């Protein structure tokens, strides 16, 4: 088909119909059926959700999971079936939790498909010679060439070229970012002339504000602009980049892999050189490697993120479609938003009403209200004009007085190509304003149009235009008001009567800010999140809104200026700029990309097709529920509304989850690192293995099970006040410092056990096993991220860990694990080691946190 879905088709309306094989009377039913088979249904191409098995398999690519699988395979080869079974269970639980969480998120997101129209009024013919009839059809049965009728409130069901339009305006912010209704018309062009500015197209996903129209379908399904005709917008067209969460976890994972690859050979070499042991030490070396690995990390990560995502979903405010995105949201330190609908309510309010010299004048608002009142009542507009409603709201009770004082005679409303309205009134009960008397014309509209119709000399008109321009530069929407008396008459009024007017004044309106926006911006700033505004609006309008909300706009950068900058020049500019105005979709994407290149973790809140590129470029893409379908499919997080307050709660949930994951890593890695050092020292000093492989694995299993409770901790306020990231370097510094402290406690334990019972092997194993579990329970309580009371799950887990450490060697299972009970003096000495170790932990943590601040 020669038709270009983006509106590039040249030629007249009749030529377009011929290209589509259609006509003003519509298609026949038979032809429509053939086209439906050929083109397919008018449905957006769904991105097929991954099956559960595929999701499960994708979870196996996690670095820690892959390492565990390798260790499990080595354990199976060495016939260490207990180790192999434990590892298999850990991997299965982690992948199952992750699969279930992401599957629930996809199901919830799929339930949000509410934008696309369900039915459309179509003109078709039952037979070639039959007259056309109007039918209400499901939109998925529309085909190219169908003739569709539109009215106020209708959602455009496919991409249409207009055949006829009467006062048609549509709202297409979801597609273009334009906040106000856009006028549409049938181009009056000779054949072969291009139709400019796409005024003759209505695109799927837009909605009719006023007027009526008939259009021919030019694209359906995957061919529409809404389906993702913009570059890269089709689902699956762009590969998802590595997220901040992936980068952090991968960095930690590969650092630990290097330690593991070094530790196992080191254990074997030390045992062989100093103690003459051979390959019989290999199972112990594997157990040491397993002990260094945070086996429960995939499970704890998934549990923490799934818990946070489930809490947000239960409130109906936020749906996290990709679990790691919750961590990334907590790590965001710069958030890019549009102005319309996010910072403002997408409705105007009165700012001031002034005379020609800039002095406040209530008469100007009075006459503007008279015009708005009778225009709305007499013009019978299908949808009230937002500017008229704002004027009437500002006028308040005086509107009632105006209704009683004047009687409406006629109205000439705004229309495409006519940016002004006129109300014709007469004074109620005044015989001078009877049919043989006088009518009053009250005109309101664009300053240049109204002033052109006023009886003014050229210098005065230029002065007033400059004043209107100054108001507009301050971010205000300016309307001029003028009046004129005319002899009353019975024939209709027309544009020719709008001449020789007396100028009254200017009405200036501004965007109404969202009621929660100022508070939300302040809270985000306190949490270390910098907000940047990327909008297609006028620079003055965007700057004014920011000032009202307490967000200093600084120098406003326009899209035109961005076009002249290279990516290297844009990066520092994007970092220091707060407001970008007159932005096209590619400008938004470039700004987001520049911020990410500068090392910032970037979120983007967008809801339209024009936001798709930026949503993909951001570390976290956020879309409100009423965004277009492809934007919701692209986003990582879906909000119930464009409310920054809900987004702040999602940021807190992400930081809380990340804080718990970070606490788990600090606790388990410092304990494991300390134990590995102690094992190496003991292996060099003792004539026997400091702990048998089975004992190492049972100890790890108990500790790992207890640490699941860390996913339910409540992080301290300090964790929530700043972006939370998993930083490998910070983590390694912490692990090194506290691991050495843990190893010192273990070496002290070795000395106590040797002195108290002569270093008997089974008693030594039992004593170190008990001390290890008790110190690990203490570490969980002292190094956790929370500071607001210990949750019940954590208290229960640490208590259970301590009980197992004390009683397992004394139970019937003790001899099976080659452990025996200790004399009372040993327990007393171990208690002393624990008290000193706990005090050392508390002091070390205070110093570490003080240095971090």
């Amino acid at each position: 088909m020669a038709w270009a879905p983006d509106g590039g088709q040249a030629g007249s309306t009749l030529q377009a119909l011929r290209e589509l094989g259609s006509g003003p009377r519509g298609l026949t039913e038979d032809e429509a059926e053939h086209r439906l088979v050929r083109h397919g249904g008018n449905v957006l191409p769904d991105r097929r959700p991954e099956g559960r098995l595929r999701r499960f398999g994708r979870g196996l690519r996690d670095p820690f999971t892959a390492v565990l699988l390798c260790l499990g395979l080595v354990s199976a080869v060495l016939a260490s079936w207990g180790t192999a079974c434990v590892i298999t269970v850990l991997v299965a639980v982690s992948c199952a939790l992750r699969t279930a969480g992401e599957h629930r998120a996809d199901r919830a997101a799929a339930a949000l498909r509410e934008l696309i129209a369900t039915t459309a009024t179509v003109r078709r013919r039952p037979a070639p010679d039959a007259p056309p009839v109007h039918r209400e059809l499901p939109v998925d049965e529309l085909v190219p060439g169908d003739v569709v009728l539109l009215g106020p409130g209708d959602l455009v069901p496919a991409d249409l070229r207009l055949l006829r339009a009467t006062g048609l305006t549509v709202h297409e912010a979801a597609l273009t970012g334009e906040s106000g209704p856009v006028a549409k018309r049938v181009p009056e062009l000779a054949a072969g002339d291009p139709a400019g500015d796409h005024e003759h197209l209505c695109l799927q996903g837009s909605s009719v504000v006023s007027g009526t129209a008939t259009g021919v379908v030019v694209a359906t399904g995957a061919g529409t602009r809404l389906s993702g005709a913009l570059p890269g917008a089709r689902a699956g067209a762009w590969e998802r980049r590595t997220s901040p969460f992936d980068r952090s976890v991968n960095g930690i994972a590969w650092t630990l892999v290097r330690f593991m690859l070094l530790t196992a050979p080191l254990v074997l070499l030390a045992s062989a050189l100093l103690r003459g042991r051979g390959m019989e030490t290999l199972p112990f070396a594997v157990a040491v490697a397993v002990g260094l690995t945070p086996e429960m990390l995939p499970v704890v990560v998934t549990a923490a993120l799934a818990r946070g995502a489930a809490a947000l979903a239960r409130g109906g405010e936020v749906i996290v479609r990709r679990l790691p995105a919750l961590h990334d949201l907590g790590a965001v330190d710069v958030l890019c938003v549009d102005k319309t609908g996010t910072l403002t309510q997408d409705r105007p309010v009165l700012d001031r009403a002034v005379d020609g010299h800039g002095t406040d004048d209530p008469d100007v608002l009075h006459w503007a209200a008279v015009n708005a009142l009778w225009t709305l009542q007499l013009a019978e507009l299908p949808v009230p004009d937002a500017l008229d409603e704002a004027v009437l709201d500002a006028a308040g009770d005086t509107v009632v007085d105006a209704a009683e004082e004047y009687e409406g005679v006629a109205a000439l409303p705004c229309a495409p190509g006519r940016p002004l309205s006129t109300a014709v009134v007469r004074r109620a009960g005044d015989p001078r304003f009877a049919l043989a008397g006088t009518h009053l014309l009250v005109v309101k509209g664009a300053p240049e149009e109204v002033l052109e119709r006023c009886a003014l000399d050229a210098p005065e008109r230029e002065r007033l235009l400059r004043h209107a321009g100054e108001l507009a530069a301050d971010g205000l929407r300016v309307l001029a008001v003028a009046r004129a008396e005319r002899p009353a008459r019975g024939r209709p009024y027309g544009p020719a009567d709008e001449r020789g007017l007396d100028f009254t004044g200017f009405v200036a309106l501004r965007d109404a800010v969202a009621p929660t926006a100022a508070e939300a911006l302040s809270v985000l700033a306190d949490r270390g999140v910098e907000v940047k505004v990327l909008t297609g609006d006028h620079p003055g309008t965007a700057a004014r809104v920011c000032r009202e909300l307490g967000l200093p706009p600084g120098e406003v950068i326009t899209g035109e200026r961005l076009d002249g900058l290279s990516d290297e020049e844009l990066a520092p500019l994007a970092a220091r700029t707060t407001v970008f105005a007159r932005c096209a979709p590619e400008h938004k994407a470039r700004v987001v990309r520049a911020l990410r290149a500068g090392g910032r973790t970037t979120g983007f809140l967008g809801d339209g097709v024009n936001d798709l590129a930026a949503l993909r470029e951001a570390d976290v893409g956020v879309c409100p529920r009423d965004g277009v379908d492809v934007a919701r499919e692209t986003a990582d997080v879906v909000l119930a509304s464009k409310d920054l307050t809900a987004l702040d709660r999602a940021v807190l949930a992400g930081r809380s989850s990340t804080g718990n994951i970070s606490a788990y890593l600090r606790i388990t890695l410092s304990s494991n690192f300390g134990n590995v050092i102690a094992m190496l020292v003991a292996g060099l000093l003792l004539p026997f293995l400091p702990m048998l492989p089975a004992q190492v694995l049972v100890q790890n299993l108990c500790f790992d099970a207890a640490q699941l409770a860390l996913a339910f901790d409540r992080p301290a306020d300090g964790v929530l006040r700043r972006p939370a990231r998993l930083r490998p370097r910070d983590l390694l510094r912490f692990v090194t410092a506290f691991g050495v402290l843990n190893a010192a406690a273990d070496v002290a334990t070795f000395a106590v056990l040797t002195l108290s019972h002569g270093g008997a092997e089974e008693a030594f194993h039992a004593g170190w096993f008990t001390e290890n579990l008790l110190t690990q329970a203490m570490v969980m309580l002292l190094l956790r991220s929370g500071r607001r009371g210990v949750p019940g799950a954590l208290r229960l887990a640490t208590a259970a860990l301590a009980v197992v450490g004390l009683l397992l060697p004394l139970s019937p299972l003790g001899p099976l694990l080659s452990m025996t009970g200790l004399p009372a003096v040993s327990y007393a000495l171990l208690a002393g080691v624990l008290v000193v170790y706990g005090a050392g932990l508390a002091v070390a943590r205070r110093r570490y946190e003080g240095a971090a601040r």
Side-chain angles (χ1 to χ4, degrees):
M1 186 178 296
W3 182 264
D6 64 354
Q9 174 72 13
S12 66
T13 300
L14 289 178
Q15 182 180 344
L17 287 170
R18 283 196 297 270
E19 293 283 349
L20 290 162
S22 183
R25 299 195 305 157
L27 300 173
T28 64
E29 294 289 356
D30 289 342
E31 176 61 21
E33 289 183 11
H34 291 312
R35 295 191 180 193
L36 186 61
V37 172
R38 185 164 68 249
H39 295 283
N42 179 35
V43 293
L44 292 177
D46 289 334
R47 178 172 58 194
R48 288 186 179 181
E50 291 181 303
R52 297 197 182 196
L53 287 177
R54 186 178 180 86
R55 290 183 190 275
F56 191 92
R58 184 159 49 85
L60 298 177
R61 298 201 300 267
D62 177 89
F64 281 114
T65 305
V67 169
L68 283 176
L69 287 176
C70 292
L71 291 174
L73 182 60
V74 172
S75 300
V77 171
L78 297 174
S80 298
W81 302 113
T83 306
C85 289
V86 170
I87 290 174
T88 301
V89 170
L90 291 176
V91 170
V93 169
S94 171
C95 292
L97 283 174
R98 184 179 306 179
T99 299
E102 293 187 358
H103 180 71
R104 284 195 301 270
D106 270 359
R107 279 195 309 174
L112 298 177
R113 295 172 173 269
E114 298 172 354
L115 180 69
I116 307 305
T118 56
T119 61
T121 303
V122 182
R123 181 184 296 162
R124 282 187 180 173
R125 291 171 291 150
D129 297 331
V133 295
H134 293 167
R135 296 183 55 196
E136 195 77 11
L137 294 178
V139 294
D140 57 6
E141 295 182 12
L142 292 183
V143 296
D146 263 328
V147 175
V148 176
L149 281 68
L150 298 175
D154 285 347
L155 293 172
V156 179
D159 287 357
L160 309 178
R161 171 166 177 149
L162 295 176
L163 304 177
R164 181 190 61 79
T166 303
L168 182 67
T169 60
V170 300
H171 199 283
E172 51 185 24
L175 298 159
T176 65
E178 182 69 35
S179 59
V182 178
K184 298 290 183 178
R185 63 185 180 87
V186 179
E188 299 176 0
L189 301 171
D193 291 339
D197 223 9
H198 296 177
E199 290 182 341
H200 61 304
L201 292 178
C202 287
L203 302 176
Q204 183 184 37
S206 56
S207 58
V208 178
V209 177
S210 63
T212 59
T214 302
V216 59
V217 175
V218 298
T220 60
T224 63
R225 178 74 60 87
L226 184 60
S227 72
L230 291 175
R234 293 184 187 277
W238 291 345
E239 292 294 328
R240 183 173 295 279
R241 74 180 61 82
T242 302
S243 69
F245 175 80
D246 296 329
R247 292 194 294 270
S248 298
V249 171
N250 289 346
I252 296 169
W254 291 117
T255 301
L256 291 177
V257 167
R258 295 186 187 98
F259 269 108
M260 289 168 54
L261 293 176
L262 177 64
T263 301
L266 188 60
V267 171
L268 288 173
L269 184 61
S271 297
L273 293 179
L274 298 179
R275 292 296 175 183
R277 303 186 187 108
M279 293 303 292
E280 67 271 16
T281 314
L282 183 57
F284 176 72
V286 171
V288 171
V290 172
L292 186 61
T293 307
E295 300 98 329
M296 295 298 290
L297 179 62
V299 180
V300 171
V301 165
T302 305
L305 295 178
R307 181 170 178 264
L312 292 171
R314 278 197 302 272
E317 296 178 337
V318 182
I319 292 173
V320 181
R321 300 188 65 249
R322 185 177 59 86
L323 283 183
L326 189 59
H327 161 274
D328 298 341
L329 200 56
V332 162
D333 56 16
V334 59
L335 176 67
C336 299
V337 302
D338 193 4
K339 175 184 71 67
T340 305
T342 304
L343 304 180
T344 66
Q345 300 181 56
D346 202 12
R347 69 177 182 86
V349 294
L350 181 75
D351 185 82
R352 69 191 76 163
V354 297
D355 61 18
H357 299 284
T359 305
D360 290 341
D361 188 346
D363 280 348
V364 176
L365 178 59
H366 168 76
W367 290 114
V370 170
N371 170 278
L373 174 67
W374 291 109
T375 299
L376 289 174
Q377 292 198 21
L378 298 178
E380 297 182 355
L381 298 173
V383 178
D385 183 85
L387 299 178
D388 284 342
E389 289 192 317
V391 168
L392 293 176
D393 287 343
D397 294 338
T398 62
V399 174
V400 178
D401 298 336
E404 294 176 351
E405 186 178 0
Y406 298 99
E407 295 178 353
V409 176
L412 302 175
C414 294
R418 176 183 157 80
L420 74 163
S421 64
T422 297
V424 183
V425 299
R426 64 185 178 192
R427 191 177 298 276
D430 190 335
R432 193 173 67 85
F433 282 78
L435 184 62
T438 304
H439 287 169
L440 183 65
L441 276 67
V442 185
V443 182
K444 171 173 61 66
E448 59 275 11
E449 296 289 339
V450 174
L451 291 174
E452 183 183 346
R453 292 164 171 77
C454 290
L456 298 169
D457 56 29
E460 179 65 6
R461 182 178 290 108
E462 289 298 322
R463 185 187 70 81
L464 292 173
L465 282 173
R466 282 196 303 272
H467 183 47
E470 292 169 358
L471 293 173
D474 195 31
L476 299 174
R477 176 76 178 271
V478 184
L479 300 174
V481 182
R483 294 170 290 165
E485 291 186 355
R486 297 285 186 266
R489 66 184 190 219
R491 60 185 177 83
Y493 284 86
D497 298 300
E498 300 167 333
R499 298 292 175 186
L501 306 176
D502 296 324
F503 177 73
T504 303
F506 294 116
V507 173
L509 303 105
R510 54 182 169 80
D511 288 338
V513 298
T516 61
E519 179 184 359
L521 288 175
S522 175
V523 170
L524 287 172
D526 291 340
R527 301 199 194 287
V529 179
E530 183 181 0
V531 176
K532 295 184 181 292
V533 180
L534 279 59
T535 179
D537 280 346
H538 187 280
T541 303
R544 182 183 184 85
V545 168
C546 290
R547 285 194 297 270
E548 287 185 41
L549 295 173
L551 183 66
E555 181 186 6
V556 180
I557 303 300
T558 63
E560 183 179 1
R561 181 172 171 184
L562 295 181
D563 289 334
L565 299 176
S566 66
D567 290 344
E568 291 75 16
E569 294 170 326
L570 176 58
L573 181 66
R576 65 175 182 265
T577 302
T578 300
V579 181
F580 296 86
R582 298 294 191 201
C583 285
E586 59 271 17
H587 296 137
K588 296 181 180 181
R590 283 194 67 200
V591 171
V592 171
R593 188 163 56 247
L595 291 169
R596 288 184 58 250
R600 309 293 295 273
T601 303
T602 308
F604 182 84
L605 174 58
D607 62 351
V609 171
N610 61 316
D611 294 322
L612 285 173
L615 284 170
R616 283 285 187 175
E617 287 291 343
D619 290 308
V620 186
V622 185
C623 178
R625 180 176 58 187
D626 56 358
V628 298
D629 190 80
V630 289
R632 290 200 305 268
E633 286 296 313
T634 300
D636 303 302
V637 177
V638 179
L639 302 180
S641 63
K642 285 178 95 172
D643 185 355
L644 290 179
T645 304
L647 186 59
D648 173 61
R649 287 189 281 271
V651 168
L652 287 183
R655 293 182 180 181
S656 179
S657 298
T658 302
N660 289 340
I661 295 168
S662 180
Y664 163 77
L665 284 169
R666 290 198 306 268
I667 290 169
T668 191
L669 291 179
S670 59
S671 295
N672 291 355
F673 184 60
N675 284 341
V676 168
I677 295 175
M679 286 180 183
L680 290 173
V681 172
L684 299 178
L685 299 178
L686 298 176
F688 50 82
L689 291 177
M691 193 174 288
L692 300 180
Q695 296 165 355
V696 173
L697 293 174
V698 170
Q699 170 189 282
N700 287 343
L701 181 61
C702 294
F703 190 31
D704 291 338
Q707 286 181 108
L708 276 175
L710 291 170
F712 300 90
D713 198 5
R714 297 184 295 270
D717 292 337
V719 175
L720 306 179
R721 280 198 295 267
R722 58 185 181 275
R725 299 186 187 92
L726 300 175
R727 297 179 173 90
R729 289 186 178 179
D730 293 344
L731 182 62
L732 289 177
R733 283 196 295 268
F734 185 98
V735 168
T736 301
F738 286 85
V740 170
L741 184 60
N742 182 275
D746 286 340
V747 171
T749 300
F750 297 161
V752 166
L753 294 175
T754 301
L755 293 174
S756 63
H757 55 73
E761 183 174 347
E762 290 190 354
F764 186 95
H765 291 162
W768 195 25
F769 181 90
T770 298
E771 185 265 350
N772 258 333
L773 292 190
L774 291 177
T775 55
Q776 287 170 345
M778 183 182 296
V779 166
M780 287 179 63
L781 291 174
L782 293 178
L783 297 187
R784 53 185 280 264
S785 61
R787 282 292 181 272
R788 294 177 290 174
V790 182
L794 195 55
R795 288 199 300 269
L796 181 62
T798 52
L801 195 61
V803 169
V804 170
L806 289 169
L807 299 184
L808 184 61
L810 304 176
S811 72
L813 293 176
L816 296 177
L817 293 172
S818 301
M819 293 189 292
T820 186
L822 297 173
V825 65
S826 296
Y827 288 110
L829 292 173
L830 287 177
V833 171
L834 289 173
V835 170
V836 174
Y837 177 56
L841 271 180
V843 171
R845 170 154 187 166
R846 282 197 297 270
R847 289 186 176 180
Y848 182 86
E849 290 178 343
R853 285 194 291 268

